[in-house]
Amino acid sequence: MKFSVCLSTGFEGVMYPIPFAGPEDFIRQAQLCERLGYDSVWGNDHITTQDYVRDLFPGRPPNFYEPLVVLAAIGAATKRLKLGTALTVLPMRDPVYLAKQAITLDQMSNGRFIMAVGLGAYREEFLAWGGSRAAKARRGDMMDEGLEALELLFNEKSCSYEGKYYTFKDVEMFPKSTVQPFPLYIGGHNLEAVERAARYGQGWLPGWRPLAEMEQRIADLKVRAAKLGRNPSEIEIAPQFSVTVDKTLEAAEKRYMESGLVAHRVSLSYTGRDLSHQVVANLVGSPDVILEKIDKLRSIGVDHCSALMFPADSVAEMNEQIEWFASDVMAKVPK
């Protein structure tokens, strides 16, 4: 089982206070995670204020940092730590330049970069980015075209693509990534995301779900990957959870429910997640409780508790939680 941390590149206001962390904090947190033995750090991708964040913090826009640029800086300041995006919003990116950025970051970090792509949680952000040209667009179709394009760009000597949303001709994308195949992870938890992960992904990075549903979707993904002629064991199952550690389950639950993450969960209730499960289905509790949850996750096929989110009121508190999880949970998980 692997464990990794999600930095606050795009979570100010969404989960953390405004202001929260800046460039030096990202570097120091990544170096802390490397010292503590985490597998990787990940950056979240937002460009403008969400409607509910504007309501919570009127007149105080959050600071959002572009994750690939942040990860490039972290790559120069670390040696072993892997670097990932959780998630890059694919419908808001040109696939040709995104492929070039991803391969460049892979090369510059000596193969430490993982790119997880997703649809994006907030359509209002997509509309703010795209204006009138995005008003009638279906993001799922853009996602599918983007994945088809990335598959070509990452693997072919020369490639062309003609879609409804994206088009390019005779592109020679070199160098290729040092890691082959390029570690492209697919985000999202619905059945379309499962199909995309089975077809294109080297990993699947959904958000938390009730345990029974997560177990079923992992099984569905493996069956579908096999039908597509792929080896299911080569697709890393890497769901994203939130973490709150405290001395008792009750104290951890109280701490979690008082955090800014709860408003974020409520804002995403349209995705169908039952919020009554948000404590039991995430890594919230005493170290012993969390270890029991991890053991259960391992038993249903989870390989990596990925891009863990640590709700906190300050960078110091977030670092304290990262250290507590490493010493009292991560260090005690059987290898």
Side-chain angles (χ1 to χ4, degrees), residues 31-325:
Q31 291 171 331
L32 173 65
C33 289
E34 185 167 64
R35 289 196 302 273
L36 293 172
Y38 284 93
D39 173 80
S40 43
V41 292
W42 302 66
N44 186 256
D45 187 17
H46 290 295
I47 59 166
T48 191
T49 313
Q50 298 79 9
D51 291 345
Y52 88 96
V53 173
R54 195 173 287 112
D55 291 339
L56 286 173
F57 298 92
R60 297 167 64 194
N63 300 296
F64 293 152
Y65 294 83
E66 202 289 317
L68 281 85
V69 175
V70 173
L71 294 171
I74 289 171
T78 56
K79 296 180 179 179
R80 174 198 59 81
L81 197 70
K82 291 184 181 178
L83 318 163
T85 58
L87 304 159
T88 300
V89 181
L90 186 52
M92 293 166 59
R93 303 272 181 159
D94 169 75
V96 175
Y97 270 95
L98 180 60
K100 178 56 69 180
Q101 289 173 300
I103 292 170
T104 301
L105 190 41
D106 162 272
Q107 288 276 344
M108 296 297 290
S109 66
N110 194 27
R112 289 189 283 149
F113 180 54
I114 300 165
M115 185 168 69
V117 296
L119 206 61
Y122 298 97
R123 184 169 176 84
E124 72 255 25
E125 189 173 355
F126 173 75
L127 293 174
W129 161 81
S132 59
R133 64 191 166 94
K136 295 183 179 179
R138 184 178 184 273
R139 289 180 295 162
D141 293 339
M142 296 180 75
M143 179 82 175
D144 290 332
E145 285 194 12
L147 288 170
E148 291 171 1
L150 289 175
E151 179 87 353
L152 295 171
L153 293 160
F154 284 145
N155 296 295
E156 299 298 325
K157 180 179 179 181
S158 177
C159 59
S160 302
Y161 188 81
E162 190 70 36
K164 178 179 179 181
Y165 297 103
Y166 304 117
T167 179
F168 52 87
K169 184 174 176 59
D170 298 332
V171 173
E172 293 182 332
M173 181 67 67
F174 284 89
K176 298 302 186 189
S177 58
T178 59
V179 177
Q180 288 292 327
F182 179 86
L184 181 68
Y185 285 35
I186 310 301
H189 60 260
N190 62 23
L191 294 177
E192 285 182 305
V194 170
E195 172 66 21
R196 291 171 185 133
R199 185 174 296 275
Y200 298 106
Q202 299 304 307
W204 180 45
L205 201 163
W208 70 271
R209 305 296 293 177
L211 196 64
E213 181 184 316
M214 181 73 74
E215 182 174 15
Q216 183 60 56
R217 300 222 165 155
I218 292 171
D220 291 345
L221 189 156
K222 291 180 180 294
V223 168
R224 182 63 181 144
K227 287 182 178 178
L228 290 166
R230 303 188 62 199
N231 182 349
S233 66
E234 294 179 354
I235 303 173
E236 183 175 81
I237 307 300
Q240 183 177 28
F241 301 99
S242 53
V243 177
T244 301
V245 191
D246 215 312
K247 292 179 180 178
T248 66
L249 171 60
E250 293 75 18
E253 181 172 356
K254 181 175 185 293
R255 187 172 185 164
Y256 171 89
M257 294 304 295
E258 290 175 351
S259 76
L261 186 54
V262 174
H264 177 56
R265 302 288 191 213
V266 171
S267 77
L268 296 177
S269 59
Y270 72 91
T271 64
R273 281 191 282 199
D274 183 349
L275 295 184
S276 68
H277 290 262
Q278 65 179 313
V279 170
V280 70
N282 281 289
L283 302 182
V284 176
S286 65
D288 286 345
V289 167
I290 295 174
L291 284 164
E292 289 176 6
K293 292 182 180 185
I294 289 169
D295 188 56
K296 186 67 175 178
L297 291 170
R298 188 202 296 269
S299 75
I300 66 170
V302 172
D303 303 306
H304 183 176
C305 294
S306 177
L308 296 172
M309 298 179 290
F310 291 83
D313 289 330
S314 67
V315 171
E317 183 186 354
M318 183 179 175
N319 289 343
E320 178 189 73
Q321 285 280 296
I322 289 170
E323 293 186 48
W324 195 351
F325 183 86

